[in-house]
Amino acid sequence: MAAAVLALQVDKKELDDLDKKVGELKRAFQTEEPALKDIRDFVLPYRGKFSGEKADKDGQRKDKNISNGEAVLALRTLAAGLQSGVTSPARPWFKLATSDPTEDSEEVRIYLEDTQKRMELVCAQSNFYNSIHALYGELAGFGTSAMMIEEDFDSIIRCRTMTAGEYWIGLNDCLRVDKMARQLDMTARQLLGAFGLEALPEQIRQQVREDREEKPKYKVYHLIEPNPRHNPARYAAARRAVPTVYRSVYWLEGYKDQPLKVQGYHEKPFIAPRWDVVSDAIYGRSPAWECLGLVKSTNVIESDFLRGLALQTRPPMLAPDGIRDVDIAPGGMTYYTEGSTGNANQRVLPLLEVQANLAAATQKVTINEHKINQFFYADLFAMLSQYQGPKMTAQEVIERHEEKLLILGPVLERLYAEALSEFIERLYGIMYRNGLLMEVPEELEGQNIKIEYVSILAQAQRMVRRTSITDILGFVGNIAALNPDVLERIDFQEAVKQFGDYSGTPPGIIYGDEVFEEKMKAKREQEEQMMQAAQAAQVGGMVNQAADTAKTLSEADMSGANALTDISGQLGQALGGVPGG
């Protein structure tokens, strides 16, 4: 354990290097900020914390740039669609398996199914589903999102989704996110609660003793990265006790003599998925990035429409000098001094004759809103929301939206790889180390547990393949009526296995190869025994019938010989033999 503690220690020189790393990550993010601020202003008005901006005040409105809210609604639909289609709290969305589930023993199957149910229960009892929904909103809007997964005494895990500008990420040589840094503004009291009195510099300790509250706020930097001193061999030998795979370091700006806190993790304690990535870019691109220009122009058209409508219904007025306080409300009364206008017949007239083409503006807004919904897959997810009962089958979803499902495929694969798989590995590790799982079967020791996704969207993606199986089986069934030999071309057992896999069928429903062969062997033996018994019964019946016939014939009188001996002689001659004496 001492070696593990030393491996996590950070001296002053290394703290300077970590501070430079954070500066590099922050500078790489600054090129993203202008576009992200635009997305925030027009699509996600209450998200994002960017440099140079004042802290938000409670109750402050931030949607003043939005005159057309279609993009806001479309993104909300997309986030909700990902929640129900990928990680629905109402149904299983993942299952655990080995590389070849058909070879698993009954003990392994019980362990995997029980582990899956326990992990689902932890997800339901923690704040995971609330946090992952916020993550989907950030992902679809800003193109990149991040969520911390920490251990919690009460709910096993505690998740926290961060917003754009609150964190900065970095990539490893495989272009995968492996570093995350962030800045926190904390009061002395918050520092005391988070890190303890002994970790704080003397100046801040004094402030705590004087019980000063909100001011000043101190900048705390936090960096999570792979532990440079991680020793895989040592870690494999003591996995439960040496959490050195990832390292987390907190320190105060201006106080680099020692860190506030150094902590180690068995797994990466955060996920940072990206919607789509161009080449070796660090940050992702999203539907909001792609349609930002369209969203802005739609807001301009909507704003101009409202302005034109106001000018037509309430135009600026032109009145003679003698008329004051013009009341243009229906039934309003405007008073003027008699003779002051020089002519009692002078009237108040519109200053401008505005003839805005409001119908054309309305039509253009409608067209743009439809395009915005397409960018955010809103029509697809609105259709998928109906696939919760008998109204629509997954097959109908595919037939109507196969093209969009295929387009969404790479996004889902990236989401599985950069978010959900890492989350499940983190959750499994936390539960395993805290003794919340069954004892691992010996058969699983040294094997990797595979994660398979069985959500509605995952099934819809697989059903593109499943459809090919049903098509060929239906075609062969029709041909078999004319030529039964065609059935010999189909491996029906393999078809059942693949159909069940693409359908997300629980592994306990379809027998593995070993169990299936045992059942088929027992069935063949039973059929053979039944056939032998039937043959024996048939032979016994023939013997009894022959015995009865022989008795009847032997009793018949045929002049010194009976019918039986006569028939026997005839049979002997027919067979070329000599009848016995």
Side-chain angles (χ1 to χ4, degrees), residues 39-48 66 72 75 137-138 141-142:
I39 292 173
R40 187 269 312 274
D41 291 341
F42 289 93
V43 183
L44 287 164
Y46 295 99
R47 301 281 183 89
I66 299 175
V72 178
L75 185 139
E138 293 272 331
F142 297 119

Side-chain angles (χ1 to χ4, degrees), residues 474-487:
F475 176 75
V476 170
N478 293 332
I479 296 296
L482 303 174
N483 184 0
D485 292 342
V486 75
L487 295 174

Side-chain angles (χ1 to χ4, degrees), residues 179-416:
K179 290 186 281 293
M180 184 180 73
R182 56 184 182 142
Q183 174 187 314
L184 301 89
D185 294 325
M186 304 178 71
T187 64
R189 184 177 179 184
Q190 290 170 335
L191 289 170
L192 175 65
F195 306 108
L197 188 64
E198 294 300 321
L200 303 181
E202 180 57 34
Q203 178 183 345
I204 300 178
R205 293 186 195 179
Q206 183 63 31
Q207 185 178 347
V208 172
R209 295 188 188 100
E210 295 174 0
D211 200 23
R212 284 185 280 162
E213 191 56 39
E214 294 302 323
K215 295 181 180 181
K217 281 195 173 183
Y218 297 91
K219 288 184 179 180
V220 177
Y221 290 104
H222 180 205
L223 176 65
I224 301 173
E225 64 173 356
N227 183 15
R229 300 186 181 90
H230 169 53
N231 186 327
R234 185 192 306 154
Y235 180 70
R239 184 174 177 83
R240 290 177 181 269
V242 189
T244 58
V245 178
Y246 273 80
R247 180 179 66 177
S248 165
V249 184
Y250 292 85
W251 68 94
L252 270 167
E253 182 182 51
Y255 298 90
K256 297 181 184 177
D257 293 334
Q258 65 178 27
L260 290 171
K261 183 179 181 182
V262 182
Q263 185 176 356
Y265 294 98
H266 281 288
E267 308 86 12
K268 188 168 74 171
F270 69 92
I271 57 176
R274 297 164 294 170
W275 184 274
D276 186 29
V277 178
V278 179
S279 186
D280 59 350
I282 299 175
Y283 294 91
R285 299 295 179 260
S286 66
W289 274 85
E290 295 171 347
C291 68
L292 182 58
L294 183 63
V295 172
K296 282 185 171 183
S297 65
T298 304
N299 275 272
V300 170
I301 296 172
E302 184 86 24
S303 179
D304 289 346
F305 170 86
L306 295 174
R307 184 176 178 84
L309 180 62
L311 286 172
Q312 284 192 197
T313 56
R314 299 184 61 184
M317 306 302 292
L318 180 64
D321 184 61
I323 300 179
R324 294 287 185 268
D325 299 325
V326 177
D327 185 358
I328 61 173
M333 185 74 72
T334 299
Y335 297 92
Y336 68 94
T337 303
E338 186 176 357
S340 62
T341 63
N343 186 348
N345 293 324
Q346 289 187 16
R347 297 179 299 149
V348 177
L349 300 173
L351 177 63
L352 301 173
E353 293 290 341
V354 178
Q355 298 295 328
N357 192 346
L358 301 182
T362 301
Q363 183 179 10
K364 182 58 178 175
V365 167
T366 302
I367 293 172
N368 285 2
E369 288 177 346
H370 177 68
K371 291 180 180 178
I372 290 170
N373 278 284
Q374 288 182 313
F375 272 107
F376 284 100
Y377 305 92
D379 50 350
L380 169 63
F381 285 110
M383 184 68 71
L384 284 173
S385 66
Q386 301 176 25
Y387 174 44
Q388 302 290 339
K391 292 183 179 180
M392 177 172 292
T393 65
Q395 181 63 35
E396 290 176 309
V397 172
I398 291 174
E399 291 174 354
R400 299 187 188 189
H401 295 281
E402 181 173 352
E403 180 182 355
K404 292 177 182 176
L405 284 171
L406 293 176
I407 294 174
L408 199 58
V411 176
L412 295 179
E413 292 300 325
R414 184 176 292 278
L415 183 63
Y416 297 150

